[in-house]
Amino acid sequence: MPIDKIFGTTVDLLAKSIDLRSRSHTMISANLANVETPNYTPTALSFENELKGALKGKKVGTPAITHPKHIPLKGQSNSVQQVQGTVIETPSLSPGKDYNGVDLETEMSRMAENQIMYNASIQILSKQFNEIKSAIRENK
């Protein structure tokens, strides 16, 4: 039996969230490492809306139909696993004299929030697997 039949989309969603939060952590770390690099523009990974759209069944990564004669592509999955996120630039509203756009306090708060969400996803995923382990033990 496939695991998605047991948990629905919960495990897929949590796994993808953990993956994307890890990528986001890497970007935030790069921003912090470049806090004194002249002309550096910080980046962030935006993925929450894509995940919500995938859960609601919207096509992820599907080309837009921009002309009435375009043929819509069929057979593409609405899978949460297709969500990749979008890299966006997040410069500070008041860059320094060297035009560095990293705001140390903003990046540190983004890192803390990202870490909390990452840890929460790990805990929920662990709880899901503990529940299935418990159910298996009870059936013995």
Side-chain angles (χ1 to χ4, degrees):
M1 171 183 278
I3 198 160
D4 61 334
K5 300 290 185 196
I6 298 170
F7 295 113
T9 59
T10 305
V11 172
D12 282 342
L13 176 63
L14 289 169
K16 192 59 172 181
S17 176
I18 290 166
D19 176 49
L20 293 168
R21 294 243 172 246
S22 176
R23 287 182 51 208
S24 182
H25 184 84
T26 300
M27 287 185 174
I28 296 167
S29 296
N31 294 341
L32 290 169
N34 287 291
V35 72
E36 294 185 9
T37 303
N39 299 315
Y40 182 80
T41 303
T43 57
L45 184 66
S46 174
F47 59 87
E48 289 86 359
N49 289 336
E50 283 184 50
L51 276 178
K52 287 177 189 175
L55 286 175
K56 291 180 181 176
K58 294 180 182 176
K59 300 284 186 198
V60 177
T62 303
I65 298 174
T66 57
H67 190 276
K69 292 186 178 182
H70 284 174
I71 301 171
L73 298 175
K74 294 191 178 193
Q76 291 196 351
S77 174
N78 300 339
S79 173
V80 168
Q81 294 303 321
Q82 290 179 330
V83 174
Q84 295 300 313
T86 305
V87 177
I88 57 173
E89 291 185 346
T90 59
S92 171
L93 297 175
S94 55
K97 294 177 186 174
D98 59 357
Y99 299 103
N100 181 296
V102 178
D103 180 11
L104 186 61
E105 290 176 6
T106 301
E107 294 300 322
M108 291 301 291
S109 66
R110 285 181 51 227
M111 180 175 273
E113 177 187 1
N114 191 62
Q115 186 66 45
I116 290 167
M117 297 300 285
Y118 178 90
N119 289 343
S121 296
I122 293 287
Q123 288 175 354
I124 295 168
L125 188 61
S126 176
K127 185 169 175 66
Q128 289 286 319
F129 286 122
N130 284 338
E131 287 177 8
I132 194 73
K133 193 185 324 180
S134 175
I136 291 170
R137 285 185 186 146
E138 289 177 14
N139 287 330
K140 284 186 176 182

